[in-house]
């Protein structure tokens, strides 16, 4: 809306976290938008079509994203001051997709590693002592974000994707500690071995059995294969 090349959320749950509200530029949707623009530019180039307009839009969008959301440790959940303490496990989603496809990401390695370290510290280690995977939202005031049911949950698919991104950045020990907690919970603490749910919490609540998003566990294998080839 402000012509900076970056899409904005409208203050209601207008994305896959369909009860978790985002306002203005958000880390999750913003990173997906940057990934989508990057892929569209590549499609235009392969089709022999002009791409300069969209390349300019992409540069502006990256600038807006970093300027509005980077706080020195992680990308803020969105632009609302009240949400500035939320560390979102899925904040690098678009960048993970690009990295998995070996497409360029115009965010420094330092920023992405700092964000991953912050997510590991808060969303993984401070949630149930690291025994349950990565909770979707955790506050820097050291408690779970209780603003919605989804911010309080661990989504199996997001935890596995996050682990894959950590492997892509050569943070293997952190990656496997992240997924270990989730795996132990699903297989040993809660008997959900063959009906992996979308969401669990540390007290055994689960939702949406047999969900598809946890298939992102294969992204871990993909990241390890890429690492091996390098």
């Amino acid at each position: 809306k402000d012509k900076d090349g970056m899409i904005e959320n409208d203050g209601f749950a207008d994305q896959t976290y369909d009860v978790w509200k985002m306002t203005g530029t958000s880390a999750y949707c913003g990173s997906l938008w940057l990934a989508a623009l990057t892929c569209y530019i590549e499609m235009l180039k392969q089709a022999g079509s002009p791409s300069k307009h969209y390349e300019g839009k992409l540069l502006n969008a990256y600038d807006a994203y970093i300027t509005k959301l980077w706080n020195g440790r992680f990308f803020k959940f969105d632009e609302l001051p009240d949400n500035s303490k939320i560390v979102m496990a899925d904040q690098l989603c678009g960048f993970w997709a690009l990295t998995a496809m070996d497409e360029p990401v115009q965010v420094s390695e330092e920023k992405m590693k700092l964000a991953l370290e912050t997510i590991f510290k808060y969303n993984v280690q401070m949630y149930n002592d690291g025994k349950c995977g990565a909770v979707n939202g955790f506050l820097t005031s050291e408690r779970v974000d209780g603003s919605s049911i989804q911010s309080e949950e661990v989504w199996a698919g997001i935890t596995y994707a996050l682990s894959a991104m950590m492997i892509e950045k050569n943070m293997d020990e952190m990656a496997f500690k992240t997924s270990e907690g989730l795996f132990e919970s699903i297989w040993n603490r809660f008997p959900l071995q063959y009906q992996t749910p979308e969401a669990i919490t540390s007290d055994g609540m689960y939702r949406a059995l047999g969900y598809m998003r946890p298939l992102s566990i294969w992204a871990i294998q993909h990241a390890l294969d890429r690492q091996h080839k390098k």
Side-chain angles (χ1 to χ4, degrees):
K1 292 176 181 175
D2 54 8
K3 311 299 182 185
D4 62 358
M6 172 54 65
I7 59 168
E8 297 92 14
N9 296 90
D10 285 327
F12 61 95
D14 51 2
Q15 24 70 39
T16 196
Y17 295 92
D18 46 16
V19 297
W20 200 2
K21 297 176 182 178
M22 299 177 187
T23 302
T25 298
S26 66
Y28 174 69
C29 291
S31 70
L32 287 173
W33 172 245
L34 292 166
L37 268 177
T38 300
C39 293
Y40 185 58
I41 290 166
E42 181 61 25
M43 290 165 67
L44 288 173
K45 287 179 178 178
Q46 291 197 25
S49 300
S51 61
K52 188 164 287 188
H53 169 73
Y54 294 99
E55 289 174 26
K57 186 184 289 287
L58 180 64
L59 286 174
N60 290 338
Y62 263 112
D63 184 58
Y65 184 84
I66 293 169
T67 300
K68 291 178 178 180
L69 300 181
W70 181 249
N71 67 3
R73 291 186 296 163
F74 60 93
F75 290 100
K76 292 186 291 185
F77 180 76
D78 63 11
E79 288 190 72
L80 276 186
D82 288 350
N83 291 338
S84 63
K85 292 182 178 181
I86 300 174
V87 181
M88 186 185 194
D90 210 14
Q91 63 186 264
L92 302 177
C93 184
F95 306 138
W96 161 63
L98 288 174
T99 302
M101 295 186 292
D102 210 20
E103 292 295 331
V105 177
Q106 298 178 47
V107 173
S108 70
E109 290 287 299
E110 180 188 17
K111 284 185 174 64
M112 284 194 283
K113 286 186 175 182
L114 276 170
L116 289 170
E117 288 170 359
T118 302
I119 294 166
F120 183 70
K121 174 184 175 181
Y122 289 101
N123 303 63
V124 179
Q125 290 184 305
M126 288 190 182
Y127 184 70
N128 198 219
D129 295 323
K131 297 176 182 176
C132 203
V135 69
N136 282 333
F138 204 92
L139 303 176
T140 54
S141 53
E142 301 188 2
R143 59 185 175 86
V144 173
D145 172 28
S147 61
S148 78
I149 186 175
Q150 291 173 335
S151 60
E152 297 175 329
E153 294 175 331
V154 173
W155 284 10
I158 302 310
T159 292
Y160 289 139
L162 173 64
S163 299
M165 183 60 164
M166 289 172 173
I167 292 169
E168 294 280 7
K169 299 304 174 188
N170 298 310
M171 304 162 83
D172 292 25
E173 183 177 357
M174 198 178 291
F176 282 105
K177 283 184 177 178
T178 296
S179 282
E180 179 185 28
L182 175 69
F183 177 84
E184 288 291 336
S185 289
I186 289 174
W187 278 77
N188 298 324
R189 293 172 65 191
F190 318 126
L192 299 168
Q193 296 91 328
Y194 301 106
Q195 45 187 351
T196 303
E198 174 185 29
I200 63 171
T201 59
S202 60
D203 59 2
M205 187 283 291
Y206 61 87
R207 185 169 60 76
L209 292 174
Y211 209 70
M212 298 294 286
R213 191 181 269 118
L215 286 170
S216 67
I217 193 171
W218 289 101
I220 294 176
Q221 184 66 56
H222 178 68
L224 289 170
D225 289 346
R226 281 167 43 80
Q227 191 183 70
H228 179 69
K229 288 176 182 177
K230 288 178 182 178

